Amino acid sequence: MSNRLKAYRIAVFVSGGGSNLQALIDAQKSSRFRSEIVLVVSDNPSAYALERAKKEKIETLVSRNEQEIISFLRSNQVDLIVLAGYLKVVGGEILSLYSQRIINIHPSLLPQYGGMGMYGIRVHEAVFAAKEKQSGATVHYVTSVVDGGDIIVQKAVDISNCQNAVEIQQRVLAIEHQILSEGIKILEDI
Ligand code: GRF
């Protein structure tokens, strides 16, 4: 089968509310990509993202054990991992098993405002403090360098009228919800 018809079996890794997971679920339903979300993995048992998955009858796993996660990935024949608000660093064995098959959504225009410790509201506080006129989101490959993998897709947004970091976060989150599914589509068509 040529790559043009490539469809992945996706595991989405989450830690929080899961608005990016929800955007992917909605995009899959509207056939914005051919791939299928078959597993949601969380390190956090109370992540609301797990409720979102259960509502869609998607299998879930709560675990911080790399071997347990790997066996669930294998038993679900997962061939693409999407980190969507996942706050843990992905273990070395998963990184090598899924080389060039793990992507992440980061809430800034990488390489700016990325790297260790730059996640969640901290990113937007730094952007606001620097009086940036624009911010945005980036979908990139995951490697052993935090937020250092090649960029797949990136989209900017004007934030010149934002009054605080939370307003920036809301504006960037809307961009994240758009481009994560675009990133999957790009991988399907490579
Ligand atoms: C968001 O701030 C996003 O930028 C980052 O993780 C956070 C959680 O988002 N990737 P979600 O609502 O759990 O998808």
Side-chain angles (χ1 to χ4, degrees), residues 8-182:
Y8 293 98
R9 290 175 58 81
I10 297 172
V12 182
F13 284 34
V14 297
S15 297
S19 70
N20 276 291
L21 169 66
Q22 191 61 55
L24 288 183
I25 289 168
D26 297 345
Q28 179 184 320
K29 282 181 173 172
S30 8
S31 309
R32 289 229 291 285
F33 51 75
R34 289 187 295 273
S35 301
E36 184 189 358
I37 302 164
V38 298
L39 179 64
V40 169
V41 177
S42 183
D43 59 313
N44 170 11
S46 53
Y48 185 67
L50 293 166
E51 298 313 312
R52 296 180 191 269
K54 286 170 187 161
K55 216 178 288 174
E56 300 295 328
K57 310 234 180 319
I58 299 169
E59 186 169 355
T60 59
L61 169 68
V62 176
S63 175
R64 295 177 180 210
N65 178 301
E66 189 175 36
Q67 290 313 312
E68 184 179 30
I69 294 170
I70 288 171
S71 68
F72 264 72
L73 293 171
R74 286 213 164 102
S75 59
N76 284 279
Q77 291 90 34
V78 168
D79 53 7
L80 178 64
I81 295 173
V82 178
L83 308 185
Y86 188 63
L87 295 179
K88 275 176 66 66
V89 175
V90 175
E93 195 172 343
I94 294 179
L95 275 181
S96 53
L97 280 174
Y98 286 88
S99 169
Q100 296 299 313
R101 284 289 175 274
I102 311 181
I103 65 175
N104 179 50
I105 177 82
H106 181 79
S108 78
L109 294 173
L110 291 176
Q112 295 172 308
Y113 303 101
M116 278 310 266
M118 288 304 273
Y119 58 86
I121 193 69
R122 294 176 178 195
V123 173
H124 311 295
E125 284 165 346
V127 166
F128 184 68
K131 299 187 178 12
E132 299 286 356
K133 293 284 172 272
Q134 67 168 13
S135 187
T138 305
V139 179
H140 63 95
Y141 287 106
V142 174
T143 65
S144 53
V145 178
V146 176
D147 297 333
D150 288 348
I151 291 173
I152 298 167
V153 59
Q154 180 169 79
K155 187 170 181 182
V157 65
D158 176 75
I159 56 164
S160 52
N161 64 347
C162 287
Q163 302 300 308
N164 54 49
V166 171
E167 280 185 23
I168 296 174
Q169 180 174 48
Q170 287 160 349
R171 206 160 293 182
V172 169
L173 201 52
I175 301 294
E176 294 175 47
H177 296 162
Q178 287 172 34
I179 68 169
L180 191 48
S181 52
E182 284 173 24

